Amino acid sequence: EYALTNNKSCRTLIGSNVKDMLVREGQWHHIVLFATHTSGTDERISLYVNDNLAGRHAQESHRLPSYKMESKTTVGRYTTQDGPEFVPLKNNFDLSGRVGMLSFWETGDRPLLSKVSNQMKIKSESEEDHVVKSLNRAGFDIRAIRELSNQGLTAKAPTLLYTFDKGNQSKATDDLYTEAPRVVNEVILGRNGTIISEHQMKGVPEAKAVDDLTKGIPKHQRTAFVPSGGNRYAEYRDGTYVPPYLKETARSELNKLARMRKGIVKKAVEHVWKGYKKYAYGKDELLPLSNSGQNNWGGMGTTLVDSLSTLWIVGMKDEFYQARDWVRKNLNFDKVEGAVSVFETTIRNLGGLLSAYDLSGDKVFLEKADDLGMRLMRAFESRTGIPYGEVELFDGGRSYNTGWHSNEAVLSEIGTLQVEFRYLAKATGKSEYATDVMRALDELLKLDAENGLYPTFIYNTKQELGFGNSEISIGAMGDSFYEYLLKVWLQGGKREMKYRRMYDKSINGILEKLIHMSRPTYLTYVAELKRDRVIHKMDHLSCFLGGNLALGAYTHPDGLDSVIAQKQLRTGKQLAYTCYQMYARSKSGLSPEFVKFDTPKDDFVKGHAPYYILRPETTETFFILYHLTKDPVYREWGWEIFQAIEEHCKTDAGYAAIRDVDTMQQDNRMESFFLAETLKYLYLLQDDSTEIDLLNTHVFNTEAHPLRRLNLVPGPSQ
């Protein structure tokens, strides 16, 4: 009607090309048409598409001023008029897709079709805008629409409600004109159209549904995953959006879908473990294209040890205990040749052993962790107590800084040892583990960096500590230092307030100096500093910050409702949305290593590191935000990432890194953190039954190994 009134064709209305389209094929849209009586026989017609006004004009009213059911409704290819029969139209208007919900809301002074007890009174254009924005925020979920009275609307249900799915589109009944709203037989999740229909779920065991989706279906026979593109879920961009309340029935249906997805992620873990066991068992890494293994971390079975907590969490207990036997019989740190990274060995190997012990209680893991911990302590034999970057684990081995920065230690490597060694100290009763790592952190904090922002290099070979450069990064070489300031405070039961104060000081510095907004769509990102010059670049590694800010907000000493906690939470949500866009806007649905925010036309572009190496930081943030807020959108975003990984990274033996996220060429590499972190977070994101509690009992190390807080860790006598 809008097109004809304005002498336009439907194609002109939709747009002659993709950029101009109001309505795009393959996407879900929220379309609202208002016909508002203004005076006499006149009315105002307003058309909204996805929260935006598409057109508005005045015309003479053509609506029938009677109670007779003479209205004619066309839905898809079927029409009804004064009777129960649905007849195919000769000149049908084929929607080439699916309508999920058609609702009629009466807003005038008197009802035309039925008795309405609670009517919305809409007269002005601003009231129309308010209603559309409220309905749009409800995201196509009728249960949320019924809660709109909480947002200032007076109507709690539509006058007429007609829902259907492609399973019964041609078998609709004549219930279109019922006085009571129909029961909604499907959950419509989000404006982008994830749908669970009851006819899809009834009588389908979850295990069978998982098998149908994954078991024995070659990639070339499956429907290819095609990213839906960026700029969706725009309401999450500014970090203030709160989703509608979900009642218990809706939440139950969502959890049912999540359990199915969790099972699919577990099958991904099983797939990669099968390949690792066949081609590289006991090796540091699986090479997923050549079907072989390599010892590039000193030959410590790094993938096996790094995967222990994941095997336990997903329920692969047989594989866990088989790996335990390998650790007991074959893991010998005295045979490790050459030097290893103190940082990587601590977070992957020591963290993996400690988490396996914490989860299972098996002393084999604690004994091996104790042996490894004593060898790693050589790194603290520097003049300043700030650890060296590399250590030789064999008997009589030395420690020293990495060759390319032989006089300096790396910030993130200094400040990302405390969670592991403090746990080891409590479990073994050997206090020196905690004493040395905490002395190093305390000495570093005495430097009192301006705004709490520390440079990435620290001199540790001179008599006194000093800053080794003036580069500030929340990505590579800086990230987990800020992460552990918060986690050390949480691990210690929130008693060591100097670490919380230092964390808040650093976060305030980040918010003031490093947080910026892009153009044209105002994405929030965290930049870098080099010699006080802002570098508008954001690493994928920096995507951990969204979840860390949220965790800091929920545990803030002044409470979640305090101004500073709300600011941290809002920024965390903003960064989560930006990191989601880093995936959604690429051709593959995968994120590059970093992006550059230096173009006003496209928000960001991929830098000279276009590869994706199966990194976990974005899914980590989604997991934390869902765990804390229960907003199902984070599950949807994580599921998109998982589907992209399945589509482009999966091989016969495991999963491969991608050389370029736009060309999708695979690389013969699979880091141990893919099993330790990425798949674990994707699994936990869909798991509401986990005993891991971020607010009360557990702390994750930076390699996603869960450890109980120190007051819950039994000592050696226990």
Side-chain angles (χ1 to χ4, degrees), residues 413-481:
E413 297 183 0
I414 301 170
T416 317
L417 309 172
Q418 288 70 26
V419 168
E420 294 83 355
F421 277 98
R422 295 209 316 172
Y423 183 99
L424 182 61
K426 179 65 183 296
T428 61
K430 298 178 180 179
S431 60
E432 59 268 25
Y433 286 135
T435 300
D436 285 359
V437 295
M438 296 311 294
R439 181 187 297 121
L441 179 60
D442 290 341
E443 290 298 316
L444 176 60
L445 296 182
K446 288 179 182 179
L447 293 178
D448 194 24
E450 183 180 3
N451 300 308
L453 301 178
Y454 284 76
T456 54
F457 285 137
I458 307 295
Y459 286 120
N460 68 337
T461 57
K462 300 179 180 181
Q463 291 294 339
E464 295 183 359
L465 286 179
F467 296 148
N469 66 356
S470 58
E471 299 181 6
I472 308 297
S473 171
I474 311 302
M477 299 192 293
D479 49 2
S480 48
F481 164 74

Side-chain angles (χ1 to χ4, degrees), residues 233-242 517 522 524 566-577 625 634:
Y233 300 97
E235 67 275 19
Y236 283 88
R237 183 173 53 212
D238 67 1
T240 60
Y241 177 73
V242 177
M517 284 192 175
Y522 298 94
T524 301
Q566 283 298 303
K567 185 177 182 180
Q568 291 179 6
L569 178 60
R570 181 171 64 252
T571 306
K573 291 180 176 181
Q574 291 171 332
L575 290 172
Y577 179 76
L625 277 167
Y634 300 111

Side-chain angles (χ1 to χ4, degrees), residues 93-328:
F93 176 58
D94 190 349
L95 296 178
S96 298
R98 175 177 175 183
V99 175
M101 182 189 306
L102 174 66
S103 60
F104 179 87
W105 298 67
E106 293 198 84
T107 61
D109 293 328
R110 60 188 178 87
L112 294 178
L113 299 178
S114 61
K115 295 179 181 179
V116 184
S117 57
N118 291 315
Q119 300 172 3
M120 291 184 288
K121 307 296 185 182
I122 301 175
K123 290 295 184 182
S124 68
E125 295 177 4
S126 62
E127 287 175 333
E128 290 179 353
D129 292 339
H130 172 67
V131 170
V132 171
K133 291 182 182 300
S134 297
L135 291 173
N136 211 42
R137 283 196 297 270
F140 280 115
D141 189 337
I142 189 60
R143 274 164 281 253
I145 292 174
R146 288 171 180 164
E147 299 296 323
L148 287 178
S149 57
N150 296 329
Q151 302 181 38
L153 301 180
T154 58
K156 296 183 179 180
T159 306
L160 306 176
L161 177 61
Y162 178 63
T163 62
F164 61 95
D165 53 45
K166 60 187 177 182
N168 62 10
Q169 179 172 337
S170 62
K171 300 177 181 178
T173 68
D174 62 342
D175 291 340
L176 182 60
Y177 296 111
T178 181
E179 291 188 4
R182 287 184 55 184
V183 175
V184 179
N185 293 322
E186 56 192 353
V187 179
I188 306 177
L189 310 175
R191 73 204 57 218
N192 296 289
T194 301
I195 309 241
I196 322 166
S197 298
E198 285 194 357
H199 83 275
Q200 292 175 301
M201 304 291 278
K202 281 184 177 178
V204 180
E206 293 176 19
K208 182 180 184 301
V210 171
D211 286 342
D212 290 344
L213 287 168
T214 60
K215 186 176 181 180
I217 304 178
K219 180 178 177 180
H220 68 275
Q221 294 180 11
R222 288 189 281 112
T223 301
F225 168 73
V226 179
S228 298
N231 296 318
R232 295 170 296 128
Y233 300 97
E235 67 275 19
Y236 283 88
R237 183 173 53 212
D238 67 1
T240 60
Y241 177 73
V242 177
Y245 172 76
L246 287 179
K247 294 184 179 179
E248 187 60 33
T249 53
R251 179 69 65 183
S252 176
E253 290 170 337
L254 284 176
N255 287 339
K256 188 172 185 178
L257 175 64
R259 287 194 296 272
M260 294 176 67
R261 290 175 171 177
K262 182 178 72 171
I264 296 171
V265 177
K266 179 179 179 180
K267 282 193 170 294
V269 177
E270 292 171 345
H271 170 72
V272 70
W273 190 256
K274 180 180 178 181
Y276 175 71
K277 189 173 182 180
K278 182 176 181 180
Y279 298 113
Y281 202 65
K283 297 289 184 69
D284 287 334
E285 281 185 2
L286 169 69
L287 298 176
L289 297 182
S290 60
N291 295 346
S292 58
Q294 64 176 354
N295 282 326
N296 55 325
W297 293 102
M300 295 182 285
T302 297
T303 289
L304 184 146
V305 173
D306 214 6
S307 302
L308 288 167
S309 60
T310 300
L311 295 176
W312 183 274
I313 286 170
V314 304
M316 296 173 61
K317 299 297 176 60
D318 290 343
E319 291 81 356
F320 175 88
Y321 284 113
Q322 290 170 5
R324 185 273 316 270
D325 294 341
W326 185 93
V327 167
R328 180 175 53 212

Side-chain angles (χ1 to χ4, degrees), residues 467-591:
F467 296 148
N469 66 356
S470 58
E471 299 181 6
I472 308 297
S473 171
I474 311 302
M477 299 192 293
D479 49 2
S480 48
F481 164 74
Y482 303 99
E483 174 189 353
Y484 269 36
L485 287 176
L486 174 65
K487 290 184 175 180
V488 164
W489 176 70
L490 292 174
Q491 184 188 40
K494 305 179 185 179
R495 293 189 298 272
E496 302 153 301
M497 288 304 299
K498 65 178 179 179
Y499 301 119
R500 176 72 210 206
R501 287 192 293 268
M502 191 65 235
Y503 170 78
D504 285 328
K505 180 180 179 180
S506 297
I507 294 303
N508 188 58
I510 291 171
L511 297 180
E512 289 186 357
K513 299 294 185 180
L514 301 182
I515 293 296
H516 296 266
M517 284 192 175
S518 69
R519 298 297 186 274
T521 63
Y522 298 94
L523 298 178
T524 301
Y525 63 96
V526 56
E528 299 177 356
L529 288 177
K530 289 187 178 181
R531 301 180 183 89
D532 294 325
R533 183 169 63 91
V534 177
I535 307 299
H536 296 278
K537 161 183 171 287
M538 180 171 169
D539 289 352
H540 188 287
L541 286 165
S542 302
C543 286
F544 88 94
L545 185 59
N548 214 68
L549 285 169
L551 183 59
Y554 270 78
T555 57
H556 198 281
D558 294 340
L560 178 60
D561 292 331
S562 64
V563 174
I564 184 61
Q566 283 298 303
K567 185 177 182 180
Q568 291 179 6
L569 178 60
R570 181 171 64 252
T571 306
K573 291 180 176 181
Q574 291 171 332
L575 290 172
Y577 179 76
T578 299
C579 291
Y580 168 62
Q581 292 299 309
M582 288 166 62
Y583 281 82
R585 295 190 187 186
S586 76
K587 293 180 181 179
S588 61
L590 299 170
S591 170

Side-chain angles (χ1 to χ4, degrees), residues 581-634:
Q581 292 299 309
M582 288 166 62
Y583 281 82
R585 295 190 187 186
S586 76
K587 293 180 181 179
S588 61
L590 299 170
S591 170
E593 183 72 357
F594 69 83
V595 295
K596 297 165 63 178
F597 291 85
D598 54 5
T599 171
K601 295 182 179 180
D602 300 311
D603 287 311
F604 62 79
V605 295
K606 65 180 182 180
H608 57 262
Y611 48 82
Y612 172 69
I613 59 172
L614 305 168
R615 282 205 185 276
E617 290 77 21
T618 297
T619 54
E620 172 187 1
T621 278
F622 293 169
F623 159 66
I624 294 173
L625 277 167
Y626 177 76
H627 188 87
L628 298 176
T629 70
K630 298 303 180 185
D631 187 339
V633 76
Y634 300 111

